[in-house]
Amino acid sequence: MVESPSKIPFSYYLNPDVIFLAKDLLGKVLYTQIDGEITSGIIVETEAYFGIQDKASHAYGGRRTDRTETLYSQGGVSYVYLCYGIHHLFNIVSSVEGEPHAVLIRAIEPLTGKDIMETRRNMSASKGAISAGPGSAAKALGIDRSFNKKDLGGEEIWLEDHGIRYTEDQIAASPRVGVAYAQEDALLPWRFFIKGNKYVSKPNKV
DNA sequence: AAACGGATTGGCT
DNA sequence: GCCAATCCGTTTC
């Protein structure tokens, strides 16, 4: 396989428009390397979390705790937290230091190291469920709590641009999943995904 | 030191 | 397609 992968530059993550970034990250390739084992996947579903103004964000209202401190970092680091006591959810922190914007990676299409992902998930990579949904995608890539606050241009976790581009009509926008508690902000169309891709998580409608 | 609650998943009908 | 388990880190007392 011939390819000319390029790590996404640090400056990419400083973009203050997290809605744009959430959409633009579709098609980018997310890599992890753990004990020499490399796995990667094409990002096919994301959600934007709009800092202190967003009732669905952990940083809503400027909330600062030990956990949310990572969100206030300069863009280009990871924010990983535990949900429901079981699932690790992976986010890309963006914008400048002090602005807690982030993009949740909700699904990936397996690309490299499919056999490793199959072992981690105990199912075939031909099954969409292997990496559909934020908890599943993180598990397939081996992401856990230890990946919190990691530089996204490092040796353990990084993103590459393989030139994969989607047209407007291949991308759907819909309300975010599981944020009913955010009241009116729950209706904002800040979830983006590739129409018809089988690795996109269940709520597959616009 | 104790209670809380969740950016979900997957099993079951 | 619906519904319910799950459980530990985070927060607060």
Side-chain angles (χ1 to χ4, degrees):
Chain A
M1 181 169 87
V2 178
E3 57 185 17
S4 48
S6 54
K7 274 189 191 180
I8 291 177
F10 169 72
S11 59
Y12 178 80
Y13 305 103
L14 300 181
N15 191 320
D17 186 349
V18 71
I19 312 298
F20 168 84
L21 268 184
K23 194 170 167 183
D24 196 67
L25 279 164
L26 295 172
K28 301 295 189 289
V29 184
L30 175 61
Y31 282 82
T32 58
Q33 178 170 207
I34 301 166
D35 296 330
E37 294 190 317
I38 293 178
T39 51
S40 77
I42 304 163
I43 297 171
V44 293
E45 181 179 357
T46 62
E47 280 179 5
Y49 285 82
F50 198 69
I52 63 175
Q53 311 172 43
D54 183 356
K55 289 185 178 176
S57 169
H58 292 161
Y60 174 61
R63 182 177 175 80
R64 272 181 185 261
T65 63
D66 287 344
R67 179 177 71 154
T68 64
E69 199 56 35
T70 304
L71 285 169
Y72 291 86
S73 306
Q74 180 167 241
V77 300
S78 58
Y79 171 55
V80 179
Y81 74 97
L82 188 67
C83 183
Y84 289 92
I86 316 171
H87 311 293
H88 297 281
L89 272 59
F90 169 74
N91 296 253
I92 293 172
V93 174
S94 69
S95 195
V96 296
E97 185 171 2
E99 285 291 330
H101 294 181
V103 176
L104 170 70
I105 303 304
R106 289 191 54 88
I108 58 153
E109 178 176 332
L111 185 65
T112 310
K114 291 181 187 176
D115 53 329
I116 300 166
M117 294 193 234
E118 288 179 330
T119 303
R120 286 177 184 149
R121 293 280 294 134
N122 193 31
M123 70 171 78
S124 165
S126 64
K127 292 243 175 218
I130 192 171
S131 55
S136 302
K139 191 172 180 191
L141 289 167
I143 293 171
D144 63 19
R145 234 192 111 46
S146 70
F147 278 79
N148 189 41
K149 219 165 189 170
K150 290 263 192 227
D151 191 321
L152 293 175
E155 296 301 312
E156 295 165 282
I157 184 164
W158 68 95
L159 280 86
E160 293 183 4
D161 187 346
H162 288 204
I164 299 167
R165 298 287 183 273
Y166 299 106
T167 60
E168 282 296 319
D169 54 281
Q170 289 177 285
I171 298 172
S174 76
R176 293 172 292 179
V177 177
V179 296
Y181 60 86
Q183 304 169 48
E184 71 273 16
D185 287 352
L187 301 175
L188 296 164
W190 288 352
R191 171 178 178 239
F192 301 96
F193 61 93
I194 307 306
K195 292 179 189 170
N197 187 292
K198 74 174 174 182
Y199 297 99
V200 168
S201 68
K202 263 252 165 85
N204 220 340
K205 315 213 164 30
V206 183

